[in-house]
Amino acid sequence: DDENDMDSDTVCADEDTCPSDALNDIDGDGICEQNDSCPFDSENDVDGDGLCNSATCVDEDPAACSVFVTTNSDCRAANACSVCGCACFSQCNDRCPLDRMNDVDSDNVCADADSCPFDADNDSDGDQLCADVDSCPYDNLNDVDSDAVCASSDSCPFDDSNDADGDNMCSDVDPCPVDPSNDADSDSLCAEVDSCELDSYNDQDSDLICGDVDSCAEDASNDFDNDLLCSDVDSCPFDVDNDVDTDGLCGNIDDCKMDAENDADGDDLCADRDPCPHDPANDFDGDGICGDVDSCPTDIENDADSDDICSVDDPCANVHSDHHDADSDQICQDVDTCPNDSGNDHDSDSICGDVDSCRFDALNDADSDSVCGNLDVCPFDSLNDIDADTLCGDVDSCPLDSSNDADGDNLCVDQDPCPLDKENDADSDSICGNTDSCPYDSENDVDFDMLCADVDSCPLNAGNDADSDNLCSDQCLFDADADSICDDLDSCALDANNDWDSDLICGDMDSCPFDNENDVDADSVCADVAASALSCGFDMSALNILSSDMFVDTDGDSCQDAVILSDAQKENVLTSVVADFGFSASNAGAALSESPEFSDDNTLVFSVLSSLPEDTVAAIIEAIIGVGSEFIQVEPQRRARLLAAGEERVLFVTVNLDGLLSKLRSDADFDGVDNDVDSCPFDPENDADGDSLCKMSFCFDDLFVLNPQCTDFRSGGRLDGQCVESGVCTTCACSCNAECAGVIGGGSDICPYEAANDADSDLLCASDDPCPFDATNDADSDDLCGETVACVETDEAVTSFGSCSDYSEGSRYFGFCSIDGICDICPCSCASECGSEVDTCPSDPENDVDADQLCADMDSCPYDPENDVDSDNVCSSGDSCPDDPENDLDGDGICGASDSCPFDAFNDADGDHVCADVDSCPLSATGDRDQDGLCDNIDSCPLDADNDADADEMCGDEDPCPQDSSNACNDANNGVVVDGDGLIIDDEMLVIIIGIVCGVIILALIIVAVVVILNKRKVARAKQVSETYMRSPRSFRPSEDNDLRSNSSSAVQSSPNHSDFSPNSKLSTADRAESVVSTEGYVAEKTKKHKTKPTSSKSRKTRRAKRDSKSTGSRATEAGESGSWSPDPNSLSEIDWEKSLNKFFQKHNKAKVAMVPKMSKIYNSKRERLYAKLYKAYKAAPNGATPS
């Protein structure tokens, strides 16, 4: 190396790959520094923007390079990027190495990563178009309305006309885009199609005058009778005096216009001409007094004797006295035996009635009880049947005994010690025979074997010689007390009751064997509970229970008959009942609506909510709380309204807790069968319907027992089946009945007289169930029951002719159900005959009215038997084209199947057998013969593709010179002109022709001028007539905005020649004149119809006065319509609004009462307007309202 490591990189040139590069190609691009444009960029400015993407830097002369840092000089201009790499790094290094333009949009995203390299906002509107190619860079819909204004600047971005009507509402939300008032009259018609822009009813009375300018907007005849009242408020629209006699008949139909009673006496003379308007005979007796006010119309002297009887009727014509027959008995006073008694001593006791104390009793109160005999139920009994046995005392064997010696012992009750016992306590045990369990046994079955001594073989041995050895007491070798317990095992060998009262003293030694306190009051009388209990019909097993203080005797017969609970027991009862309602699934038909409480010591009351009959609710409550229905009373709450069947109402429930005593009786249900042998111990009818379920009407659970409570022992309860084991058979008599008493089948019979027991489970027994086999009870109310469960009936014989099946359809006795009276017994077999056929469509009241075998609740088209046969989702009942799925798509009134052109509303209008949807020229039968793109019907030259190219009004197919507008193709050789017909014309002939043509033109101009002058005169005349008529208040005045518009349907229909006179009219002057003349005739005709009387000075004044009055009324009306009323009619509900109108017309115009419902609806939103009309017509408004 002759230069000895010139680059000072400690590598000699012979080994140095870059001998002049101290960094030895630091970027590894194979180019040494002196030749490397970007010594620190291995890709050497890959994007060619003159900026390197250096990974590192070196300042060859740091001191010199520092100037670029301190002065911020332009490195690139000084070419210092390579020698001052670090100082110029920020200026020279390429921050976008793959972006030649280096983030030209200055969004800090290089082009290689920039979705929009020329859009600094990078598609700010998110429409996938960058701003450099986006016509609306801030409008993601890009001027969706195509009005050349982007949404960001567009006042109406969805309206290409940008609020054409200037109402500050763009067309996309403007209900009337070209109507600035937006349907001012709110009739759903915009101004451009509204015949009456300011009249929401659009000329309601069809008199061609819009309501806003119509003096009588609801009166087509516009006050026909000229009484300033329109017919809609005019009680007599054809009577100017409006029933002047107020008889309810308008003058135009009133035969007596000035007579409110319309010839009341029917003598064909109206009151204004009738001398006696209420006397058809017109003063028959000629006394100058009309018959209707003449006291004696046929007596000219008018009762000369002043006895108020006219001479023709006076029975005492010769007695001139004011009192000739004072008692009015038709017997003159001078011959009347009792002149002041019209009955003339009716009872013939020689005492005239006016002084007789008993005018109709000849004996004059024989029994002196101050009741006359004719009114006295017992005229000879002063006590008047005091014992109320319908036998008076004078004939009553026992006047103080209403039963009249009921036991027939010849002793009346006031003297009889046993009034119902003929033998008067035969056994002298102080118990009368009618209540004595053993009437001939003074000890009343002392051995308690249920056999009285007079019939008991062993009256002192309950076993009654059990071993049949004819010895009453020898069951054991030694059983001294015959209690069936041998002496060696008997704690009380000489006491058959074995210390019954549990006082640890055997009965043979006990002074009071049935009194555990042993005559506590020391009165030498034991409290013999057992004898008393048995005589009262209680079971021996219940004697200990009866000794409780809870049971008391309220009537003094020594028998407990009532229950008194402690406060704690009452609380337990309330808790138990609430818990029972929560536990039982049976309460679905009777939900507790008011918590239970005690009305007294033994009466529980509460309320339930139910839709079922009271008897059914009682049975449900029986099952819920364990109390027999015999002790439950259910009744509707007082003053409850009568409800429809199935509607819930509140029922008041009373439970008599005295029923607790029933289960302690030996015969709880009083059916004469002791409980221990009674198949239904609480059912007095012992399963009347034979369904193996007993009524529980006399059972009673101890409701005051908790933890466990009786509910726990019921079927499904936590202690189900443990009644006997737990010893609660008596305590929980209802809940444990099936287990303890062996009831047939067990359970309570909710329908005791129905073997099927509410077959449909709707909680209604058959007697109350309108549909016994339909749980929904005719859900669709079509008087046909459904069948949610199979019909059930007995298979036993129901008549002497056979069973139910013998009466079914097809059987030998079909048709005899009603005759044999078995409709209710055999509901299945007799269904069709007895009118109880099953509802095949239980949820369809019309029962498949379209007969398509689909009930309405399952039928997509319940009134269409084919069920939308064209599958257009429109049923035939509402389908205009039931066989056309597109429903007359072209709207020509012809359905697809019958439409020759189903997509052409005009059905081949040009008759070329090509329908418009495929016909290029639908209105031209010949099409476009010259193929110039214009159909023949609109082509001025249908056979000339150039369409008169020379514009000489001659089509090319007829033009001899189609390119020469003068059609004077020059003949250079002959100097002649050829006309349009090909004729050769010389110069002289041409001059003559031109002269003739000019003359004709001048003559035509003169004719046109004359016609114009004449038409102008006609127009002026028509205008004068029209203005004159329009000044009339009752004239026909077409609205300038509506009726004169050429597209107004009402104007066209009313006046066929009525045309638009606006500057934009396309009518010629002559046509306009003709139209005006036609309108003039129409106006004159209308004027003629309203002209009924000759015009005179007086009539003109009258009309002027009426007009002024009407104007004043109109102003008052306008004030009422625009102002307020007191009271405000808008404060009334719709019902009160209609009532107020009805009341108003009842008073002012009964003929309009029938119109009140319609009137109230029409004016419901315009109440002030109607008030104003009524106030104008009647000088009054509903509710006495006045305009403020």
Side-chain angles (χ1 to χ4, degrees), residues 710-981:
C710 292
T711 304
D712 297 326
F713 294 95
R714 296 181 190 173
S715 177
R718 64 187 180 92
L719 300 176
D720 184 8
Q722 299 181 37
C723 294
V724 175
E725 177 183 340
S726 302
V728 295
C729 287
T730 300
T731 301
C732 301
C734 298
S735 297
C736 292
N737 181 60
E739 179 183 346
C740 297
V743 174
I744 303 171
S748 175
D749 196 350
I750 195 170
C751 295
Y753 305 107
E754 176 193 345
N757 285 314
D758 185 22
D760 57 4
S761 303
D762 61 356
L763 300 179
L764 291 173
C765 298
S767 57
D768 297 314
D769 197 344
C771 296
F773 304 104
D774 178 7
T776 62
N777 291 312
D778 188 20
D780 58 5
S781 303
D782 62 354
D783 296 324
L784 290 175
C785 297
E787 194 171 88
T788 58
V789 296
C791 183
V792 179
E793 61 186 15
T794 180
D795 55 2
E796 297 177 0
V798 293
T799 67
S800 59
F801 301 100
S803 63
C804 291
S805 59
D806 293 321
Y807 290 83
S808 62
E809 192 166 354
S811 299
R812 54 181 176 169
Y813 295 124
F814 176 67
F816 289 86
C817 289
S818 298
I819 296 173
D820 290 349
I822 61 169
C823 286
D824 293 333
I825 302 174
C826 303
C828 313
S829 299
C830 296
S832 59
E833 180 187 344
C834 298
S836 55
E837 60 265 31
V838 176
D839 193 347
T840 55
C841 291
S843 298
D844 176 7
E846 295 179 290
N847 293 309
D848 186 20
V849 69
D850 60 5
D852 62 354
Q853 307 302 313
L854 291 172
C855 299
D857 53 318
M858 302 295 291
D859 196 344
S860 58
C861 292
Y863 300 99
D864 177 4
E866 296 182 313
N867 291 314
D868 186 22
V869 69
D870 58 2
S871 302
D872 60 355
N873 294 320
V874 182
C875 300
S876 65
S877 55
D879 197 344
S880 57
C881 293
D883 298 310
D884 178 7
E886 295 181 312
N887 291 313
D888 185 22
L889 184 63
D890 58 6
D892 60 357
I894 304 173
C895 296
S898 305
D899 198 344
S900 58
C901 291
F903 305 103
D904 176 5
F906 298 98
N907 293 310
D908 186 22
D910 58 7
D912 62 354
H913 304 294
V914 181
C915 296
D917 54 310
V918 293
D919 193 346
S920 58
C921 290
L923 299 177
S924 171
T926 54
D928 177 14
R929 285 177 291 174
D930 57 6
Q931 299 182 358
D932 60 353
L934 295 173
C935 296
D936 288 358
N937 61 306
I938 60 172
D939 195 346
S940 57
C941 293
L943 298 175
D944 176 11
D946 295 326
N947 291 311
D948 187 19
D950 57 5
D952 63 353
E953 296 186 356
M954 293 183 66
C955 296
D957 57 312
E958 298 177 348
D959 194 344
C961 297
Q963 304 300 323
D964 180 3
S965 61
S966 64
N967 289 318
C969 302
N970 291 326
D971 188 336
N973 297 322
N974 300 317
V976 297
V977 176
V978 180
D979 70 0
D981 295 324

Side-chain angles (χ1 to χ4, degrees), residues 20 649 659 1054:
S20 299
R649 80 275 201 212
S1054 302

Side-chain angles (χ1 to χ4, degrees), residues 364-414:
N364 291 313
D365 187 17
D367 56 5
S368 302
D369 59 357
S370 299
V371 181
C372 294
N374 57 302
L375 301 175
D376 198 344
V377 292
C378 293
F380 302 104
D381 173 12
S382 62
L383 297 177
N384 289 314
D385 186 19
I386 192 171
D387 59 1
D389 61 355
T390 69
L391 292 173
C392 295
D394 55 317
V395 294
D396 194 347
S397 59
C398 292
L400 301 177
D401 177 7
S402 61
S403 299
N404 290 314
D405 186 19
D407 57 4
D409 60 358
N410 296 318
L411 293 173
C412 296
V413 70
D414 51 320

Side-chain angles (χ1 to χ4, degrees), residues 1003-1017:
L1003 181 61
L1005 290 173
I1006 294 171
I1007 293 171
V1008 168
V1010 172
V1011 169
V1012 169
I1013 292 170
L1014 292 175
N1015 281 341
K1016 282 186 176 180
R1017 291 180 177 177

